[in-house]
Amino acid sequence: MSRLETGVPVPETEAGGSATQPPAPPASPPALGPVELARWAWRQLTSMRTALVLLFLLALAAVPGSVVPQRNIDAVRVRSWQDAHPSLTPVYDRLGLFDVYGSVWFSAIYILLMVSLVGCVVPRLRIYWRALRARPPQVPRHLDRLPQSRRFEVDEDPDAVLERARRVLRSRRYRVAVDGSSVSAEKGYLREAGNLLFHVSVLVVLVGFALGQLLGYKGSVITIVGQGFSNSLSQYDDFDPGSLFDPDQLSPLSFTVDDFHVSFLTSGPQMGQPTSFDAPITYRTTPGARPRHHDLAVNHPLDAGGTSVFLVGHGYAPVVTVRDGHGQVAYHGPAVFLPQDSSFASFGVVKVPDAAPEQLGFEGLFLPTYGFTMERGPFSQFPDDLDPVLSLVPYHGDLGLDDGRSQSVYTLDKSRLSTYPNTDKALGPVKRIKLSVGQTVGLPNGDGSIRFDGVRRWVKLQVSHSPGKDVALAGVLVGILGLMLSLFVRPRRAWVRVRRDGPDGGPGDGSGARPGGGRTVVELGGLDRSSGGDLSGEVDEIERLVRGDPTAPDQDPQHVEHQTQEEHA
Amino acid sequence: MTHAQFAAFSDNAVMFASIVYALAFLAHLAEWAFVRSLPLPAVAEPVAVGAGGGLARAAARVDLADRPDAPAAAGAHGRGSDEDRELRVEKLGRIGLSLTILGCALHLAGLVGRGLGSDPIRVPWGNMYEFTLAGTFGVALMYLVLLKRYQLRWMGVLVTGFLVVILMLDQLELYQDAGPLVPALHSYWLMIHVLAAVIASGAFAVGALTLVLFLVKSRAVQRGTLQPRGYLARLPEAVALERVAYRVHAFAFPIWTFAALVAGPIWAEYAWGSYWNWDPKEVWAFITWVIYAAYLHARATAGWRGKAASIIALVGFASLLFNFVGINYFFGGGSLHSYAGG
Ligand code: HEM
């Protein structure tokens, strides 16, 4: 380790301090008053090391959200996870593990990181502003201690060499300052600018993201084809508002789902995979507006004045008619069944609270293309509705809808319901009904009948509004630009010092030109201030140009390669 | 050609690509095996090795007569036979490189054939087999692209070995027949997103391999166990390895930023109706991004530079790989995907 550290050029300190790094904080708090303590804490918080630790913590804190189901992503999975882990649930709930990205500790980390970022960027902006207007730093006394340095002699007059050095550096887009017998030059100011731009844009992205999280909303609704939707809270199946969301903000959008098309691969190894689906809708942005049409498809959402509608899923809604024990139609209509797998075998229930004398319920599978084997029982061979069959278990008793507790429309509360015994025990203990389209089957004991009238489809739509997404996008794009400047621009400094050697060949007094005898000694030093630095090529090139001759610098016996010595130190 | 013929062509191309990579691997292996018996080339030219000169260049330039310790180091071998061996090493290295280029061309043909082999034609990354095919192609491509700039030929043996193993596993374990994409993947943002991710991942892989070599070499140097001959000794100086790795990471990071934080969210916005869903795959892309940002920070922080920073970057690569498998789990399985399941 230590060898490595000495091996890596550490230019910052040698070249008279760095503009990019905040000073390293002292290791322990000074035993001083509250003001000093606060200042110490602030320096700690805005140090590079703290930023590093906070970045790590952020990465670490994001992990549980990818493992534990999250409430605002998949509430259903959260509930089933909680059912499966009753003892862990209260602990996890306390820790906010079902809503990691909204939890106190996650917020604390990124807020600290942002505070640290501001605390880090603001002083750097000031320093940068000053550096932009400052002259390139003066020649270090010992040019030969720089990671790259050269020393050579030429015959020309020192002033001429100095002037040429100035021009060479200028034409290589260095900012130069001539100071007596030396030239200082610096370039690559855009690196720090890019770095600052990047860090500021991190803040901008966060603001854009926060706007969406606080003021936006996202809701989803299952709509049976032919039915309509109007944008109000009561219409949603689930709704996830931002914490500052106000229901009055819901735009007065309304639409009807006119149709739904889906096609599946009918052959080949991926048989049954959907190839396309889309749903033509008619919508109005305000109740009085002219109706317009849009073809909703995956990757083709509707954007109606900031409110977006997406097609995120589809499924079947078998239409059934249930008659009760008195022969009255107690239920008629489509019931939404939720697909269980890619074959669209779908699970659902039909609740018939109006049936008399007892309430009726049905639970079971909808199979769009019926198949049956002894091992598997009934299953769906294909996702399209080629041979739709309903396979239901009928229940009778009390649906539990009257005690005021809310119930999912997709499950039956069976605590006060009973099944019918099967007449043929070989088919299992419980009575099960199999229905094809158009069929009617009577229930035992004259409790009524159920008829499978037909199949309709539903689409799952997601309606969302996320303000600030343009801000976030612009922020990331600008951030990438800044990042590229920061990573690819190489800030460099170069110095040239020229003096006349004494006529005896000994070292001169450094007072500059002494016309008449001796040679002109040129010292050249270079410093790469980026962290990927390797400056030898650039310094070689400057040397060649300052010499004013095209010969390769390698041929000079005086050529000193400090790079070499460094790497073997 | 019909779609089926293209698909068959693709399978053959991928098989041949793996075979050619395997031959390239053997050539590089032989290169290093020969090097084992050779003394280190002239120490007077370390700049060429350290500052970008490849093994081959430094080796080819050796004049053993100038070496102060030549007789001792050359051991029992005569001067002539060592020169012969240096030449042979150089030749083997070149053969390895040429084979890698050929393998990469076949690999590309396999990918293109895969796209043409699906009806309708599509981008060749829609399932786990294809993601792995594209990902390994990214590694090969980035190695070749960066090779010239950073003189990476000494990595050949590792890169080709890696490619052979992963491609074989891909064909044996993950193979799926060509077919169309699920509708969620019908988006040109998908193409841009995956392309950027594949390029960035390929470069990150090259950077990670370099860092592993850096860690191994600097450890050997530190413990004084570095042998005067053999693979490790011929690698560039530890400092130069670390620098190359940094530059490769610096190249990859903005591309990854674009893939994970621009193209991905735009596509998600179209496909899911929300640009950031904290879906596990997004979370891990974000985690990977944050870890690499931490690496860049660490490298600029005194006391972290070198070993500690490198380990952070390797952790970043681990999370990248984990996410790669994760992505495939969600998209490759089909049935787990919300679109296929409704
Ligand atoms: C959300 C938080 C942050 C992210 C994502 C982030 C990301 C980055 C990245 C990617 C770089 C690399 C650019 C380069 O090497 O030139 C960088 C550099 C830098 N960051 Fe941050 N940063 C964050 C917070 C901070 C904070 C809080 C500080 C203050 C201590 C800070 C100070 C710096 C400095 C000084 C550099 C330049 C390092 C160099 O000279 O190479 N950053 N940051």
Side-chain angles (χ1 to χ4, degrees), chain B residues 39-67:
Chain B
L40 205 59
V43 187
E45 290 279 5
V47 179
V49 182
L55 154 89
R57 192 133 61 79
R61 231 194 268 160
V62 184
D63 184 356
L64 288 169
D66 286 350
R67 290 170 49 93

Coordinates of all heavy atoms in Angstrom, one line a residue, chain B residues 39-67:
Chain B
P39 N 13.7 -14.5 -19.5 CA 14.0 -13.4 -18.5 C 13.2 -12.2 -18.9 O 12.8 -12.0 -20.0 CB 15.5 -13.2 -18.7 CG 15.8 -13.6 -20.1 CD 14.9 -14.7 -20.4
L40 N 13.1 -11.3 -18.0 CA 12.4 -10.0 -18.2 C 13.2 -9.2 -19.3 O 14.4 -9.2 -19.2 CB 12.3 -9.2 -16.9 CG 11.2 -8.2 -16.8 CD1 9.9 -9.0 -16.9 CD2 11.3 -7.6 -15.4
P41 N 12.5 -8.5 -20.1 CA 13.2 -7.7 -21.1 C 13.9 -6.5 -20.4 O 13.6 -6.2 -19.2 CB 12.1 -7.2 -22.0 CG 10.8 -7.4 -21.3 CD 11.1 -8.5 -20.4
A42 N 14.7 -5.8 -21.1 CA 15.6 -4.8 -20.6 C 14.8 -3.9 -19.6 O 13.8 -3.3 -19.9 CB 16.1 -3.9 -21.7
V43 N 15.4 -3.7 -18.4 CA 14.8 -2.9 -17.4 C 15.0 -1.4 -17.8 O 14.4 -0.5 -17.3 CB 15.4 -3.2 -16.0 CG1 14.7 -2.4 -14.9 CG2 15.3 -4.7 -15.8
A44 N 15.9 -1.2 -18.7 CA 16.2 0.2 -19.1 C 15.0 0.8 -19.8 O 15.0 2.0 -20.1 CB 17.4 0.3 -19.9
E45 N 14.1 0.0 -20.2 CA 13.0 0.6 -21.0 C 11.6 0.5 -20.3 O 10.6 0.3 -20.9 CB 12.8 -0.2 -22.3 CG 14.0 0.0 -23.3 CD 13.8 1.2 -24.1 OE1 12.8 2.0 -23.8 OE2 14.6 1.5 -25.0
P46 N 11.6 0.7 -19.0 CA 10.3 0.5 -18.3 C 9.3 1.5 -18.8 O 8.1 1.2 -18.6 CB 10.7 0.7 -16.9 CG 11.9 1.6 -16.9 CD 12.6 1.3 -18.1
V47 N 9.7 2.6 -19.3 CA 8.7 3.6 -19.7 C 7.7 3.0 -20.7 O 6.5 3.2 -20.7 CB 9.3 4.8 -20.2 CG1 8.3 5.8 -20.6 CG2 10.2 5.4 -19.2
A48 N 8.4 2.3 -21.6 CA 7.6 1.7 -22.7 C 6.5 0.8 -22.1 O 5.4 0.7 -22.6 CB 8.5 0.9 -23.7
V49 N 6.9 0.0 -21.1 CA 5.9 -0.9 -20.5 C 4.9 -0.1 -19.7 O 3.7 -0.2 -19.8 CB 6.7 -1.9 -19.6 CG1 5.6 -2.9 -19.0 CG2 7.7 -2.6 -20.4
G50 N 5.5 0.8 -18.8 CA 4.7 1.5 -17.9 C 3.7 2.4 -18.5 O 2.5 2.4 -18.3
A51 N 4.2 3.2 -19.4 CA 3.4 4.3 -20.0 C 2.7 3.9 -21.3 O 2.6 4.7 -22.2 CB 4.2 5.5 -20.2
G52 N 2.4 2.7 -21.4 CA 1.5 2.3 -22.5 C 2.2 1.3 -23.4 O 1.5 0.7 -24.2
G53 N 3.5 1.1 -23.5 CA 4.1 0.2 -24.4 C 3.6 -1.2 -24.0 O 3.7 -1.6 -22.8
G54 N 3.2 -2.0 -24.9 CA 2.7 -3.3 -24.5 C 3.9 -4.2 -24.3 O 5.0 -3.9 -24.5
L55 N 3.5 -5.4 -23.7 CA 4.5 -6.4 -23.5 C 5.3 -6.7 -24.8 O 6.5 -6.7 -24.8 CB 3.8 -7.7 -23.1 CG 4.6 -9.0 -23.4 CD1 5.5 -9.3 -22.3 CD2 3.7 -10.1 -23.7
A56 N 4.5 -6.8 -25.9 CA 5.2 -7.2 -27.1 C 6.2 -6.2 -27.5 O 7.3 -6.6 -27.9 CB 4.1 -7.4 -28.1
R57 N 5.8 -4.9 -27.5 CA 6.7 -3.9 -28.0 C 8.0 -3.9 -27.1 O 9.1 -4.0 -27.7 CB 6.0 -2.6 -27.9 CG 6.7 -1.5 -28.6 CD 5.8 -0.7 -29.4 NE 4.7 0.0 -28.6 CZ 5.0 1.1 -27.9 NH1 6.2 1.7 -28.0 NH2 4.0 1.7 -27.3
A58 N 7.8 -3.9 -25.8 CA 9.0 -3.9 -25.0 C 9.9 -5.2 -25.2 O 11.1 -5.1 -25.3 CB 8.6 -3.9 -23.5
A59 N 9.2 -6.3 -25.4 CA 9.9 -7.5 -25.5 C 10.6 -7.6 -26.9 O 11.8 -8.0 -27.0 CB 8.9 -8.7 -25.5
A60 N 10.0 -7.0 -27.9 CA 10.6 -7.1 -29.2 C 11.9 -6.3 -29.3 O 12.7 -6.5 -30.1 CB 9.6 -6.7 -30.3
R61 N 11.9 -5.2 -28.4 CA 13.0 -4.3 -28.5 C 14.2 -4.7 -27.8 O 15.3 -4.1 -27.8 CB 12.5 -3.0 -28.0 CG 12.8 -1.8 -28.9 CD 12.6 -0.5 -28.1 NE 11.2 -0.1 -28.3 CZ 10.7 0.8 -27.4 NH1 11.4 1.2 -26.4 NH2 9.5 1.2 -27.6
V62 N 14.1 -5.8 -27.0 CA 15.2 -6.2 -26.1 C 16.5 -6.5 -26.9 O 16.5 -7.2 -27.9 CB 14.8 -7.4 -25.3 CG1 15.9 -7.8 -24.3 CG2 13.5 -7.3 -24.7
D63 N 17.5 -5.9 -26.3 CA 18.8 -6.4 -26.8 C 19.5 -7.0 -25.6 O 20.0 -6.2 -24.7 CB 19.6 -5.3 -27.5 CG 20.9 -5.8 -28.0 OD1 21.2 -7.0 -27.9 OD2 21.6 -5.0 -28.6
L64 N 19.6 -8.3 -25.5 CA 20.1 -8.9 -24.3 C 21.5 -8.5 -24.0 O 22.0 -8.5 -22.9 CB 19.9 -10.4 -24.4 CG 18.5 -10.8 -24.3 CD1 18.3 -12.3 -24.6 CD2 18.0 -10.5 -22.9
A65 N 22.3 -8.2 -25.1 CA 23.7 -8.0 -24.9 C 23.9 -6.7 -24.1 O 24.9 -6.6 -23.4 CB 24.4 -7.8 -26.3
D66 N 22.9 -5.8 -24.1 CA 23.1 -4.6 -23.4 C 22.7 -4.7 -21.9 O 22.9 -3.8 -21.1 CB 22.1 -3.5 -24.0 CG 22.7 -3.0 -25.3 OD1 23.9 -3.4 -25.6 OD2 22.0 -2.3 -26.0
R67 N 22.1 -5.8 -21.6 CA 21.7 -6.0 -20.2 C 22.8 -6.3 -19.3 O 23.6 -7.2 -19.5 CB 20.6 -7.1 -20.1 CG 19.3 -6.8 -20.8 CD 18.5 -8.0 -20.9 NE 18.5 -8.7 -19.5 CZ 17.6 -8.4 -18.7 NH1 16.6 -7.7 -19.0 NH2 17.6 -9.0 -17.5

